Amino acid sequence: MLAAVFLCVSLAPPCAARSAEPVETVQGIIQSQITAFLNDDAKTAYSFASPTIRGKFPTEDAFFDMVKKGYAPVYRPGNFAFGRAKVADGMVVQEVLISGPDGKDWTALYQVVKQPDGSYKINGVHMVRTAPGPEI
């Protein structure tokens, strides 16, 4: 099975590999920021914020307080999984499916922008309440 995975990867066009790279990087950043929130590590969580976000929330405490009050599903997710992603012009929009602390389901649309140094920073999160699916 591992050989089949290697074969599929080695046969993928080079552009497909490059387009997947920023998505994997962005997913790692989002995962790290959520882990920082779960550990109440404001300094690390803030380190993933873009200059635009840092301009609006100039201290770690102000940023952390905003997330606690306005983004509870991101601050304390029950479960989360990555969904679709779109890459365009130095920006990745990453869908994250989240079960909030109250058990309600949300879709968080992360906008992550490439910085002049080549790194990626989270520039905003848009929360959308997700309708419940059929019971299983």
Side-chain angles (χ1 to χ4, degrees):
M1 180 167 180
L2 198 53
V5 170
F6 178 74
L7 180 61
C8 289
V9 170
S10 65
L11 293 178
C15 61
R18 283 193 301 271
S19 67
E21 182 181 322
V23 171
E24 291 171 2
T25 299
V26 163
Q27 288 176 352
I29 290 166
I30 294 168
Q31 169 83 44
S32 295
Q33 188 180 57
I34 290 173
T35 299
F37 289 139
L38 289 169
N39 292 325
D40 286 320
D41 182 353
K43 182 177 183 173
T44 299
Y46 191 63
S47 74
F48 299 108
S50 74
T52 301
I53 298 300
R54 288 172 174 256
K56 293 178 183 178
F57 304 96
T59 68
E60 296 166 4
D61 290 339
F63 172 75
F64 215 64
D65 192 48
M66 174 274 298
V67 173
K68 283 182 192 179
K69 290 178 180 173
Y71 296 85
V74 171
Y75 175 65
R76 288 290 186 257
N79 292 309
F80 70 94
F82 294 108
R84 299 168 295 178
K86 181 178 179 180
V87 180
D89 300 324
M91 181 176 65
V92 178
V93 176
Q94 175 65 59
E95 180 181 69
V96 182
L97 311 170
I98 299 177
S99 175
D102 58 1
K104 294 180 181 172
D105 293 328
W106 294 85
T107 299
L109 298 171
Y110 278 77
Q111 180 189 61
V112 186
V113 292
K114 190 171 189 175
Q115 303 301 299
D117 68 359
S119 67
Y120 284 86
K121 298 289 184 179
I122 298 170
N123 199 48
V125 179
H126 178 71
M127 300 297 296
V128 179
R129 179 78 170 91
T130 306
E135 282 206 36
I136 55 172

